[in-house]
Amino acid sequence: MDVPEKYKAYTKKKITFGIVLLIILFLSAIYALCVGDYKLTVNQVVNALMGYEKGNISLVIWNIRLPRIFAAIIAGISLAVSGAVMQCILRNPLASPFTMGISHGAMFGAALAIILLGFGGAESTGRIFVNNPYVITIFAFLGALIGVIVILLLAKLRGLTPEAMILAGVAMSSLFTAGTTLIQYFADELQLAAIVYWTFGDLGRPIWTEIYIMAAVMIPSLIYFIYKRWDYNALEAGEETAKSLGVDTERTRLIGMLVASLLTSVNVAFLGIIGFVGLICPHIVRICIGGDYRFLIPISALLGAVLLLVADTFARTIIAPIILPVGILTSFLGAPMFLYLLLKMHKK
């Protein structure tokens, strides 16, 4: 085979993998619409989506299951892409919004807005509510930003190694967790219920308004990351190589971390902490199709959406009618992966 033919085969494999994931995502979404306490057939689901079904079926589809599915897809894309970009920017395979303390920083900011400023809480019925999603998102972003700035400053001023950056992320996680616990200590019973439930990471909370906000942040962020794909490929080759190719490495790193933090904070503000999606997905994609960021970013996004949607459907049905928070399942999946990568790094 000559070079053009090899390149065609190289790209064909990646595109095929992406198409397969897209089909799995579509089928998983249909299945998620059908299963649950209120079981539906595919015909009923299609009719409800077309507007032919009224009453309970339409209510279940449009007010309960569709928002949950969209939340899973948007959060999966956001967290997986944030993880893929952070692993490149920080040159560390263990980097992700969860392991770097960004999720915990966003959680602290959201808790501050919910409890101290009264922008959210819980009703006596157990329903968790958000009074002002915009303010909670801003506070979550500011909390995440504090963690990012501290880690980047330490890396710049003290020349931290990739391993030391993860330790700095763990330290920031502990600090933010302590801050969140302190806020919980002074909260009343309903506020405490709200914030504890928030830390689980659950896809059943957001309503359509919050889904629109999550999508409005996710879509331009994903477009930005795909636009910068060549810069991330250059960064993978090393700092000096990237600079020689005309990449402003400092600016690329800073903006990339800010956008990844914004994506994470919006998800934490509305869904709570969902761990390890940003760690697992980019590594599975690298194993399957390699580390070319032209394909790694969009395919990690698809895998993140599939993983979170399947995990949430499993969480809804495994011990029905009890619905497990999806954050618990992703942590069970992610912890062994984290240990595996740690051992792999240690061997190197």
Side-chain angles (χ1 to χ4, degrees), residues 60-131:
V60 166
I61 292 287
W62 286 99
N63 289 15
I64 298 171
R65 290 187 187 165
L66 263 185
R68 195 176 187 107
I69 288 166
F70 275 106
I73 291 169
I74 294 166
I77 290 171
S78 302
L79 294 170
V81 168
S82 297
V85 170
M86 286 173 70
Q87 284 159 20
C88 172
I89 287 170
L90 300 174
R91 297 185 60 75
N92 192 319
L94 297 177
S96 76
F98 186 77
T99 54
M100 296 304 293
I102 294 172
S103 294
H104 296 86
M107 183 69 240
F108 173 71
L112 210 62
I114 292 163
I115 304 299
L116 296 187
L117 303 177
F119 286 114
E123 294 172 350
S124 55
T125 56
R127 191 181 78 86
I128 308 297
F129 65 88
V130 173
N131 290 334

Side-chain angles (χ1 to χ4, degrees), residues 115 183-185 187-198:
I115 304 299
I183 292 168
Q184 287 175 352
Y185 184 76
D188 62 36
E189 288 102 333
L190 291 180
Q191 288 175 326
L192 186 61
I195 203 160
V196 168
Y197 191 51
W198 224 273

